[in-house]
Amino acid sequence: IRAQGKVYYGSINKPLRILGTLLDITEFKHLQQQKDDFISVASHELKTPMTSIKASMQLLDRLIKVDPSSDKIPQFINRGNSSLNKMQQLVDSLLNVSKITAGQLTLYKTNFLASQMISECCDHVRLAGTHELELTGDTELELYADRQRIDQVVVNFVNNAVKYAPESNRIIINISKQDDMVKISVQDFGKGIPAEKIPHLFERYYRVDTSGIQYSGLGLGLYISAEIIDRHGGQMGVESEIGKGSTFWFTIPLN
Ligand code: ADP
């Protein structure tokens, strides 16, 4: 409680009257704490790839001086590049949130094949080779949407499936038509999410406490995805069963 006021004294120097306001700042403190936590997580998340880039550059510098034609050079360049990509993704997430908060998320819609967009945007998972991606359903369905933004949602679902479901190497992406909507779902076979956590998943900064296991992230991906889908006039949801896995899905209107 924050108190503010003034004390009025009587002639014998005893308080006669106290006039003021009491303000409950519990919610304010909670938001402030959330912001402070976010800043420390975001700084830490940015520092990890930055340290790796710095180390790669220093090693590269040394290596070029010693042996300019070393076959290890591409390896360090790749390592630096992938850390730079990670930093770019983090900064993009932060910029996206600012745009959403300012109501400035503009959509540029075009027609494109859903299956083609999915194949292209999930190439990095195929290259990494940790998970098998199965694309099922109606692969001929066309979307009329902001391709880059929908790509971002699919990549977020798929990256989460890779990150939070390492125990199975299978991910199924399904495309289907439901009345006048297109539905795209990403199913993993990981640990699943406790039912009481599900209503909070799309909140800004929300992350499920994974008791001990440290996964990197800012808790922004699903929040940003939900906003993108909402702006397209669609819906987003998740079904999950402990021990069986999770299916994240979204719908957007057909043309
Ligand atoms: P981040 O991955 O950066 O934490 P997200 O908004 O993408 O942010 O996800 C929010 C939280 O939802 C994650 O921290 C994780 O706990 C949970 N989550 C998301 N996808 C999955 C999944 N496929 N399986 C289990 N948990 C998930």
Side-chain angles (χ1 to χ4, degrees):
I1 302 280
R2 178 183 286 162
Q4 210 173 18
K6 203 170 177 188
V7 181
Y8 293 89
Y9 290 91
S11 52
I12 47 171
N13 247 3
K14 272 193 176 168
L16 195 65
R17 208 150 51 105
I18 300 174
L19 204 65
T21 52
L22 292 175
L23 193 65
D24 185 350
I25 55 166
T26 319
E27 182 59 16
F28 170 78
K29 282 242 165 188
H30 175 67
L31 285 175
Q32 194 62 37
Q33 183 64 44
Q34 220 181 20
K35 233 179 188 172
D36 290 349
D37 289 350
F38 173 72
I39 290 171
S40 73
V41 173
S43 323
H44 176 78
E45 288 292 307
L46 283 169
K47 212 172 158 191
T48 313
M50 253 168 72
T51 314
S52 158
I53 294 167
K54 208 170 162 188
S56 301
M57 295 300 276
Q58 280 168 349
L59 285 167
L60 205 55
D61 183 47
R62 227 175 293 161
L63 197 62
I64 288 172
K65 278 180 191 143
V66 179
D67 177 9
S69 58
S70 165
D71 57 1
K72 288 206 176 104
I73 291 175
Q75 189 184 321
F76 288 117
I77 293 179
N78 284 344
R79 203 182 293 171
N81 258 338
S82 85
S83 298
L84 266 175
N85 285 339
K86 197 156 184 206
M87 272 184 78
Q88 193 176 7
Q89 278 167 15
L90 287 166
V91 173
D92 281 349
S93 291
L94 297 174
L95 290 175
N96 279 329
V97 169
S98 312
K99 269 191 185 163
I100 289 169
T101 318
Q104 287 169 348
L105 195 75
T106 318
L107 301 181
Y108 301 98
K109 294 188 184 179
T110 54
N111 281 304
F112 56 91
L113 265 183
S115 56
Q116 195 181 353
M117 180 261 315
I118 293 168
S119 304
E120 285 173 18
C121 74
C122 296
D123 232 21
H124 64 288
V125 178
R126 287 204 184 84
L127 286 174
T130 56
H131 287 71
E132 291 281 333
L133 285 181
E134 290 170 41
L135 187 57
T136 61
D138 192 343
T139 49
E140 296 304 315
L141 267 181
E142 262 208 358
L143 297 182
Y144 178 65
D146 186 321
R147 182 174 172 146
Q148 222 178 321
R149 293 290 177 192
I150 297 298
D151 173 316
Q152 195 180 341
V153 177
V154 174
V155 168
N156 183 225
F157 285 2
V158 170
N159 283 354
N160 278 349
V162 170
K163 182 161 66 168
Y164 299 109
E167 45 284 284
S168 159
N169 70 346
R170 196 168 169 220
I171 296 169
I172 302 176
I173 306 178
N174 186 261
I175 310 166
S176 61
K177 183 171 164 293
Q178 299 196 340
D179 303 321
D180 52 354
M181 307 291 269
V182 179
K183 181 175 182 178
I184 296 182
S185 62
V186 176
Q187 182 179 10
D188 68 57
F189 299 86
K191 283 198 182 67
I193 304 161
E196 71 276 14
K197 313 279 186 195
I198 288 183
H200 304 288
L201 286 180
F202 304 157
E203 289 169 11
R204 189 158 49 153
Y205 310 141
Y206 185 80
R207 309 198 70 212
V208 177
D209 179 12
T210 45
S211 54
I213 310 172
Q214 293 281 331
Y215 295 105
S216 64
L218 295 175
L220 290 176
L222 292 177
Y223 167 74
I224 294 170
S225 299
E227 287 290 331
I228 291 172
I229 297 304
D230 185 56
R231 288 293 316 277
H232 277 86
Q235 289 199 321
M236 190 168 123
V238 55
E239 277 116 37
S240 189
E241 208 178 321
I242 295 295
K244 295 217 163 140
S246 314
T247 304
F248 283 82
W249 58 263
F250 66 84
T251 59
I252 54 169
L254 268 170
N255 269 343

